Amino acid sequence: QVQLVESGGGTVQAGGSLRLSCAASGYRYSGNCMAWFRQLPGKEREAIAGIATTFGQTYYADSVKGRFTISQDSAKNTVYLQMNSLSPEDTAMYYCAARIASECLVIWPRVSRGDFRSWGQGTQVTVSS
């Protein structure tokens, strides 16, 4: 059974940083595409960063490029999202997702929510001005 558990959300002031974690279990970690999505109030869930778990290639949405960094610790089956220079516009629920037995390059950059079937419960990030 695939399980993704996010942690690390919280409230931070504008300009601050947070690191989210996503612990994966229940499937073979290598050979997949892992991604972070976020959903702003009243908006569609959007992909913001992805990582190919086999070799670590990374992918980013333009909205976070240069500020957010996705990384992994394969030994811990964990994906991270380091978020720097946060602004109130980054306030959202952040979700970890897994696309099992598929590479990120076949879906990025035209990635959508429907490309992923496994999801975590989400972690809230609030950035105050």
Side-chain angles (χ1 to χ4, degrees):
Q1 181 180 354
V2 176
Q3 192 169 19
L4 303 174
V5 180
E6 301 104 330
S7 61
T11 300
V12 64
Q13 287 191 330
S17 300
L18 279 175
R19 189 178 81 155
L20 306 182
S21 299
C22 172
S25 62
Y27 66 101
R28 183 172 180 265
Y29 181 78
S30 182
N32 309 304
C33 177
M34 300 288 292
W36 286 97
F37 284 69
R38 68 183 180 186
Q39 189 162 16
L40 282 66
K43 298 291 183 65
E44 293 289 320
R45 194 173 297 187
E46 61 169 342
I48 56 173
I51 187 166
T53 59
T54 303
F55 297 113
Q57 299 97 325
T58 57
Y59 306 82
Y60 296 96
D62 288 342
S63 58
V64 305
K65 199 174 294 184
R67 298 189 300 125
F68 291 9
T69 301
I70 188 170
S71 63
Q72 64 178 351
D73 184 336
S74 300
K76 296 181 179 180
N77 289 359
T78 298
V79 175
Y80 304 98
L81 185 68
Q82 178 67 42
M83 305 185 294
N84 298 328
S85 302
L86 285 163
S87 71
E89 290 71 33
D90 295 313
T91 294
M93 184 71 79
Y94 285 71
Y95 297 90
C96 177
R99 181 178 166 92
I100 296 172
S102 179
E103 294 293 337
C104 294
L105 64 88
V106 300
I107 57 173
W108 218 278
R110 296 182 184 276
V111 57
S112 68
R113 179 177 182 172
D115 293 318
F116 291 79
R117 293 189 177 183
S118 301
W119 294 86
Q121 80 286 355
T123 185
Q124 177 67 39
V125 171
T126 301
V127 184
S128 60
S129 58

